[in-house]
Amino acid sequence: MTEKRILKSSDANSRKQEAEWKEKAIKELEEWYARQDEKLEKTKASNRAAEEAFVNDAEEVFPGTEWERVAQLCDFNPKSSKQAKDVSRMRSVLISLKQAPLVR
């Protein structure tokens, strides 16, 4: 008889604990979604601002400023680049073309 009571009480405790865990998980999931939505909105806003700046710069085309525009779009600092690919050859080609442009 006492074993049944012990089993019933442990079963009730486990159900209660499971319900608490589920509530906690739901709350944490909602908080995570809220943080993700906030990050997404910030990213969208910064992308829109960058696109607007890029379009404005693209409209202001003057002869002889091509390499300055290319240099603005490229990251020539190899240590700040977090890319997995090695772009040092491309960087050196762009720098050499900027210093000594091709003659047509």
Side-chain angles (χ1 to χ4, degrees):
M1 195 68 141
T2 59
E3 291 178 13
K4 286 185 179 182
R5 283 188 210 148
I6 293 172
L7 288 175
K8 284 183 181 180
S9 66
S10 67
D11 192 33
N13 287 339
S14 67
R15 286 183 187 151
K16 182 180 174 184
Q17 192 174 26
E18 183 180 348
E20 290 173 359
W21 286 345
K22 284 183 181 180
E23 288 176 19
K24 185 178 177 183
I26 289 171
K27 287 179 185 176
E28 288 181 5
L29 191 60
E30 288 173 356
E31 291 173 3
W32 183 82
Y33 278 124
R35 285 192 306 269
Q36 287 299 107
D37 289 341
E38 185 178 323
K39 283 182 187 179
L40 184 63
E41 290 302 318
K42 286 181 182 178
T43 303
K44 284 181 181 180
S46 66
N47 285 347
R48 285 187 195 110
E51 181 182 8
E52 186 177 321
F54 179 76
V55 169
N56 289 340
D57 287 344
E59 291 173 357
E60 300 171 2
V61 177
F62 299 108
T65 60
E66 294 86 8
W67 287 113
E68 285 77 17
R69 291 178 57 218
V70 170
Q72 287 176 350
L73 296 173
C74 296
D75 182 15
F76 290 109
N77 187 359
K79 293 184 180 177
S80 69
S81 179
K82 295 182 180 179
Q83 295 176 344
K85 294 183 179 180
D86 182 23
V87 293
S88 59
R89 174 75 178 131
M90 185 64 170
R91 186 180 303 110
S92 65
V93 168
L94 288 174
I95 291 172
S96 66
L97 284 173
K98 181 180 177 186
Q99 292 171 350
L102 296 174
V103 179
R104 290 185 183 179

